[in-house]
Amino acid sequence: KIINTAKAINENKKGSLTIGSTSYKRDWSFAGDVSKAIYKITNHGNDGFYVIGSGKEKSIEDIILIVFDYFNLNKEEHLIIDESLLRKNDSSYIVSNPIKIKSELNWETELSFEGLVLRCIESKI
């Protein structure tokens, strides 16, 4: 939604991006990194349980800043916060703790958050 709307704003097809919050924090990880983790887990010969993720928190605002910067957009001019869009009981903070998979299987994400967002932008253009 953020990338598609920023692209539309940049093309003068839309005037603003409306979201529920910029402060929600999540663990954003590249699916390719996750699939490598699954491969390591299934081929390790261990029946352990692992949490897969970067272990790093990034907010929705972090995404908006990267995307708006890419399209040279001003956040104050094009961003509307509408809290009525928020889901009831949705946690504002969801971040993994991948310590076990890092220590036991020597796995961690390879693609950075910024790299992931830029990859998503480039796939839309």
Side-chain angles (χ1 to χ4, degrees):
K1 176 181 179 178
I2 295 168
I3 295 169
N4 288 338
T5 303
K7 183 176 181 283
I9 293 168
N10 189 55
E11 295 168 348
N12 294 315
K13 295 178 181 175
K14 206 165 195 178
S16 62
L17 167 66
T18 303
I19 60 170
S21 172
T22 59
S23 63
Y24 278 32
K25 295 184 179 178
R26 297 289 187 262
D27 185 332
W28 311 89
S29 297
F30 174 54
D33 289 337
V34 172
S35 67
K36 288 178 184 178
I38 293 168
Y39 180 83
K40 277 194 167 208
I41 292 167
T42 57
N43 290 293
H44 183 257
N46 184 345
D47 289 337
F49 293 97
Y50 297 93
V51 173
I52 301 171
S54 71
K56 298 171 187 166
E57 65 184 54
K58 293 293 182 176
S59 69
I60 294 169
E61 182 167 14
D62 294 329
I63 296 172
I64 291 170
L65 291 174
I66 293 169
V67 173
F68 274 37
D69 183 58
Y70 184 92
F71 288 105
N72 198 28
L73 300 173
N74 184 317
K75 185 178 83 166
E76 284 72 30
E77 291 177 25
H78 299 289
L79 182 64
I80 298 170
I81 306 297
D82 180 357
E83 292 183 2
S84 72
L85 297 175
L86 297 176
R87 293 177 288 204
K88 254 187 186 175
N89 302 318
D90 196 14
S91 176
S92 63
Y93 184 87
I94 301 174
V95 179
S96 70
N97 182 351
I99 289 174
K100 183 178 177 184
I101 192 168
K102 284 182 178 186
S103 65
E104 290 184 12
L105 301 181
N106 195 32
W107 174 88
E108 59 185 284
T109 56
E110 295 174 16
L111 187 61
S112 69
F113 171 75
E114 292 79 9
L116 175 60
V117 175
L118 291 173
R119 185 175 178 148
C120 291
I121 292 169
E122 290 166 3
S123 76
K124 292 289 182 183
I125 332 188

